């Protein structure tokens, strides 16, 4: 399922957009938003694969909102003004729907979105080899990393930030959390949040709500992952 947001400041247009999304079996509507700021708050809490967004909105235009995102999800713009089409494709939008649009037009845009989504989520990581390394595609090149050097992995829509020992900047790769999680050895790595996988050997401290890797790195523990982490800690716990 492709997790999407519907964003439009006009209530009736938003209602229609949401209704179309619900008719497409491979789309999952996470939320309906009437502003870019509302959408941004949701995207900070949940991984969103794509957004259907109106360009003309009062607080922040859809175009400016997309440009403000460091790693935007897949984009389908909706608007009543055809002159925005060229601008839409400048930010690599999947499609552009001119209002008023019907279900057939929406279905075509959704199909384009599905093709782009599936292309992005094809495997971009090699199996772990005998010396515990993997190869990743990043910025039009292939790099080799040692598994032991991974401190934690941060999910950002369809991208991952891989934070490594002795590197100030993370490695950014086009890959899903699920595929990375499946590739990593389960005895050394654990998902502790929808957006985070950690190297268990890098943990310095655990409290009720977060894992501390060092003085500058505090990662949240998601409710769905808390029990698994607690069980792991229990296996290593020494004392009463």
């Amino acid at each position: 399922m492709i997790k999407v947001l519907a964003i439009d400041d006009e209530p009736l247009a938003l209602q229609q957009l949401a209704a179309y999304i619900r008719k497409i079996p491979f789309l999952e509507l996470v939320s309906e938003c009437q502003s870019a700021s509302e959408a941004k708050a949701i995207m900070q809490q949940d991984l969103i694969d794509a957004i259907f967004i109106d360009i003309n909105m009062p607080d922040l235009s859809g175009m400016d909102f997309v440009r403000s995102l460091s790693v935007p999800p897949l984009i389908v713009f909706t608007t009543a003004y055809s002159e925005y089409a060229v601008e839409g494709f400048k930010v690599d939008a999947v499609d552009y729907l001119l209002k008023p649009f019907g279900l057939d037009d929406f279905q075509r845009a959704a199909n384009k979105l599905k093709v782009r989504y599936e292309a992005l989520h094809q495997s971009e990581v090699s199996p772990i080899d005998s010396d515990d390394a993997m190869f990743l595609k990043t910025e039009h090149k292939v790099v080799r990393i040692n598994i032991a050097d991974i401190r934690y992995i941060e999910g950002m829509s369809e991208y991952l930030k891989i934070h490594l020992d002795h590197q100030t900047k993370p490695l950014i790769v086009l890959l899903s959390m699920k595929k990375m999680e499946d590739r990593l050895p389960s005895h050394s790595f654990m998902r502790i949040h929808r957006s985070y996988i950690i190297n268990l050997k890098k943990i310095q401290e655990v409290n009720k709500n977060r894992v501390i890797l060092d003085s500058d790195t505090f990662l949240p523990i998601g409710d769905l992952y808390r029990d698994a982490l607690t069980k792991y800690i229990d296996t290593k716990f020494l004392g009463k």
Side-chain angles (χ1 to χ4, degrees):
M1 295 288 281
I2 303 174
K3 299 178 67 174
V4 305
L5 292 181
I7 310 168
D8 199 307
D9 64 303
E10 300 177 7
L12 291 179
L14 181 60
Q15 183 179 359
Q16 183 66 75
L17 179 59
Y20 285 161
I21 291 172
R22 292 189 178 99
K23 290 180 182 292
I24 308 300
F26 54 81
L27 298 182
E28 177 188 345
L29 180 61
V30 175
S31 186
E32 302 169 38
C33 306
Q34 288 190 265
S35 70
S37 57
E38 183 182 350
K40 188 170 187 177
I42 292 172
M43 292 172 68
Q44 289 173 343
Q45 300 296 321
D46 205 345
L47 288 176
I48 301 299
D49 299 311
I51 59 177
F52 291 82
I53 182 168
D54 184 29
I55 290 178
N56 297 281
M57 293 188 295
D59 65 333
L60 182 67
S61 77
M63 195 72 67
D64 289 340
F65 173 61
V66 170
R67 287 177 175 141
S68 74
L69 300 173
S70 57
V71 185
L74 298 174
I75 308 295
V76 176
F77 283 118
T78 67
T79 185
Y81 303 95
S82 59
E83 62 266 26
Y84 286 111
V86 173
E87 290 300 312
F89 288 110
K90 282 183 180 178
V91 295
D92 197 27
V94 173
D95 207 355
Y96 174 95
L97 287 167
L98 184 62
K99 297 179 181 179
F101 53 86
L103 181 57
D104 287 345
D105 293 326
F106 184 84
Q107 177 75 68
R108 282 191 288 272
N111 288 341
K112 289 182 182 179
L113 180 67
K114 184 173 185 286
V115 169
R116 181 82 69 90
Y117 176 85
E118 290 175 346
L120 289 172
H121 286 76
Q122 290 176 354
S123 179
E124 295 287 341
V125 59
S126 71
I128 297 170
D129 59 28
S130 58
D131 63 347
D132 296 323
M134 67 169 66
F135 289 89
L136 295 163
K137 291 182 181 179
T138 178
E139 298 179 349
H140 309 292
K141 60 185 177 181
V142 177
V143 299
R144 180 184 183 277
I145 64 170
N146 293 322
I147 305 304
D149 290 341
I150 298 175
R151 300 180 62 247
Y152 68 98
I153 297 165
E154 180 181 1
M156 297 180 61
S157 188
E158 69 267 22
Y159 290 84
L160 299 180
K161 282 185 175 181
I162 302 177
H163 298 262
L164 300 164
D165 285 337
H166 315 303
Q167 292 194 22
T168 56
K169 292 184 178 180
L171 190 69
I172 299 178
V173 299
L174 184 61
L175 193 70
S176 70
M177 287 286 279
K178 182 64 168 61
K179 284 187 176 178
M180 178 58 80
E181 187 177 14
D182 290 343
R183 298 282 184 165
L184 291 170
S186 59
H187 64 273
S188 298
F189 290 85
M190 180 177 291
R191 194 162 181 175
I192 62 165
H193 186 275
R194 184 186 297 273
S195 301
Y196 293 102
I197 297 171
I198 64 167
N199 186 336
L200 296 168
K201 296 178 181 179
K202 308 295 183 181
I203 295 176
Q204 289 191 1
E205 184 179 333
V206 178
N207 61 32
K208 183 178 180 181
N209 297 313
R210 61 187 184 178
V211 170
I212 300 172
L213 301 186
D214 56 46
S215 59
D216 298 317
T217 309
F218 305 81
L219 304 179
I221 302 171
D223 291 339
L224 294 177
Y225 307 93
R226 192 180 307 279
D227 287 347
L229 181 61
T230 300
K231 289 178 181 178
Y232 168 78
I233 297 298
D234 286 345
T235 66
K236 305 293 183 180
F237 188 73
L238 182 64
K240 295 182 180 180

